[in-house]
Structure formats: C-alpha cells, structure tokens
Amino acid sequence: MIEALSYQFIQHAIIAGVLVSFVSGIIGSLVVVNRMVFLAGGIAHAAYGGIGLALFFGLPIFLGTSVFAVLAALIMVGVTLKQKERLDTFIGLIWAVGMAIGIIFVDLTPGYNVDLMSYLFGSILAVNESDLYFMGVLFVTILLILAFWYSKILAVSYDSEYAALCGINVKFFYTLILVLAALSVVIAIKVVGLILVIALLTIPVYIAQELSSSLARMMILSGFIASFFTLSGLWLSYTFNLTSGASIILVSALFFIFFLLFKGTR
C-alpha cells in the first residue's frame, strides 16, 4: 500500500475518505441524537432520483443529487411537522418514488454507459478534484455552522421543548440539521454508496456515543473512528481488489461487533 500512495487517485481517495468520515461523524451524531436515522435512510435512497436526473440532463452528479436530496429533506421536514403520525408511510413513498425517478431517467439517458454499481456501493477510487472541492466546502460550512450555533443545536437536539421555551427556532434548526444530513449523504454516496451510507453515519457514532460525555466529543471521536474504518477499508479493497464501499462497511461492522463483545465483558 505504501507504493500506492504515489498514485494521484489513491491520494484523492484518502483525502475524500477523511473528509467524508468527519462529515459523517459530525452529522451522524446529530442524526442519531435527533432520531433521524430513518429519515436519513429515506433521503439516501431518494437521492438516486437526483443521480438519474443529473445523468439525463448532463449535469454534475453532485449538483443534481444534492438538489434532489435537499428537496426530499424539505418534504420530509414538512411531513414530520404536519403529519407525524403518517411519517413512515411518507418516507417509504419518497424513498420509492426517488429511486423510481432515478431508474426511469437512467433508462431514458441516450448513450448511457456509467456503472450504476459505483453509486449503489461507492467508488472512492474514482474521486476527482471537483469532488474534493465539494466535500471540503461542505466540511468547512458544517464547522462554521457549529461554531456559530452549537449551543442552540445542542438544545434542540436534546430537549426541543425547552429550546422552544427559550425562544430558539426549533423548526429552523430541525430543518438545517436534516438539510446538512442530506448533503452529507450525497458526498458519502461517493465513498460507500447509497445502500451502505446509513452504516457509515451510525456505526462510528454509536461507538463514540458510548465513549463520550458530550455531543462535541462524540462528533470529534466519531470522525476519527469513521476515518479509521474508511482508511482500513480502502487498504483492504486495494490489497484484495474488493469493492471499496463494501470493504469499509465490513470493517466497520466487525469492529462494531468487537466493541459490543468488549463492552459486554466489562
């Protein structure tokens, strides 16, 4: 693996893996404490519609997928706030319709020759410079938002009723978290694919949550744990010629099982 570091695509993959890991660790922590895992899963699968539209209209994949994922997130916010008792039904509907739209537009795309497996299970070795810029901008944006609104996001995440009584706009921050989750899902698709993205958002967070006493520590620790999983999976995929996304999630799952066993023995 040492000699592989001289290749530019490996360098891009490592940078992308670390960026996506820390984004996933930070946003995954917010997703877990706000109990949005099912919502994030719906967005991840609905985002396939954006991939199909981007391919059909010749748009950048990240742009088309981001717009579609954010729209799906906003729809889910509206449903959550107004039709909470039917949330599962609407998420399933958005999930299925998004994927159906993506499949139809892929079928209609003339001369289509892109491997869909790279979007379903990730293709971290195919990351280019424009992808890295998008990931970097999102990472910096998330850090700025947290630096400016951390106390309010913390209040909304752990006690939304108390936050509302304190005058905090709970709907705004709920929407903000879900939109950031949608964008995080989009960049994570490049690394592990839309089918496996929820594992990257939740497994490192669960481990970090057990080892942390605050939300900030949980975010930071989740980022480092996710980075370890991602780089280990990348090494495994390069060494044994395996699918990168599946390798990353397999490493995550194995360490998760070891962690549970270690926790049980304690």
Side-chain angles (χ1 to χ4, degrees), residues 66-140:
S66 297
V67 172
F68 200 90
V70 169
L71 288 175
L74 293 176
I75 292 173
M76 289 183 183
V77 169
V79 172
T80 303
L81 296 176
K82 296 181 179 180
Q83 298 285 340
K84 196 169 185 178
E85 68 279 1
R86 299 181 181 178
L87 182 59
D88 292 352
T89 302
F90 279 98
I91 292 176
L93 179 63
I94 295 170
W95 179 324
V97 170
M99 293 205 72
I101 290 173
I103 293 171
I104 293 299
F105 275 96
V106 165
D107 291 340
L108 295 175
T109 302
Y112 173 72
N113 59 1
V114 179
D115 183 13
L116 283 178
M117 294 290 286
S118 64
Y119 299 112
L120 295 177
F121 299 102
S123 182
I124 191 173
L125 296 179
V127 171
N128 54 42
E129 289 188 5
S130 62
D131 297 335
L132 292 178
Y133 288 136
F134 186 91
M135 295 173 182
V137 168
L138 178 59
F139 180 54
V140 173

Side-chain angles (χ1 to χ4, degrees), residues 15-261:
I15 296 171
V18 173
L19 285 173
V20 171
S21 294
F22 274 94
V23 168
S24 299
I26 294 170
I27 299 302
S29 298
L30 294 177
V31 166
V32 169
V33 298
N34 283 279
R35 300 179 181 179
M36 294 179 174
V37 175
F38 190 38
L39 293 173
I43 292 172
H45 289 78
Y48 192 76
I51 295 173
L53 288 169
L55 291 172
F56 182 79
F57 290 106
L59 301 173
I61 295 296
F62 269 155
L63 176 61
T65 311
S66 297
V67 172
F68 200 90
V70 169
L71 288 175
L74 293 176
I75 292 173
M76 289 183 183
V77 169
V79 172
T80 303
L81 296 176
K82 296 181 179 180
Q83 298 285 340
K84 196 169 185 178
E85 68 279 1
R86 299 181 181 178
L87 182 59
D88 292 352
T89 302
F90 279 98
I91 292 176
L93 179 63
I94 295 170
W95 179 324
V97 170
M99 293 205 72
I101 290 173
I103 293 171
I104 293 299
F105 275 96
V106 165
D107 291 340
L108 295 175
T109 302
Y112 173 72
N113 59 1
V114 179
D115 183 13
L116 283 178
M117 294 290 286
S118 64
Y119 299 112
L120 295 177
F121 299 102
S123 182
I124 191 173
L125 296 179
V127 171
N128 54 42
E129 289 188 5
S130 62
D131 297 335
L132 292 178
Y133 288 136
F134 186 91
M135 295 173 182
V137 168
L138 178 59
F139 180 54
V140 173
T141 301
I142 290 172
L143 291 180
L144 292 175
I145 289 173
L146 285 175
F148 192 70
W149 282 323
Y150 176 76
S151 60
K152 293 183 179 180
I153 291 174
L154 179 66
V156 170
S157 298
Y158 283 100
D159 196 338
S160 59
E161 293 182 0
Y162 175 75
L165 291 174
C166 292
I168 298 174
N169 191 338
V170 174
K171 292 182 180 179
F172 169 77
F173 285 104
Y174 185 86
T175 304
L176 178 63
I177 293 170
L178 202 54
V179 168
L180 291 177
L183 294 175
S184 301
V185 162
V186 170
I187 65 169
I189 285 175
K190 194 73 174 183
V191 175
V192 296
L194 61 88
I195 291 180
L196 305 174
V197 66
I198 294 303
L200 187 64
L201 286 172
T202 55
I203 292 177
V205 171
Y206 177 86
I207 297 174
Q209 189 175 29
E210 295 295 315
L211 302 174
S212 305
S213 57
S214 70
L215 179 61
R217 290 181 182 177
M218 184 168 68
M219 290 176 174
I220 296 171
L221 186 56
S222 296
F224 280 107
I225 293 173
S227 296
F228 173 74
F229 291 161
T230 301
L231 296 179
S232 299
L234 179 61
W235 172 82
L236 192 67
S237 67
Y238 180 83
T239 303
F240 298 100
N241 193 26
L242 302 172
T243 301
S244 57
S247 300
I248 291 169
I249 299 306
L250 180 61
V251 170
S252 303
L254 288 175
F255 273 91
F256 179 64
I257 293 171
F258 290 147
F259 177 79
L260 291 179
L261 293 174

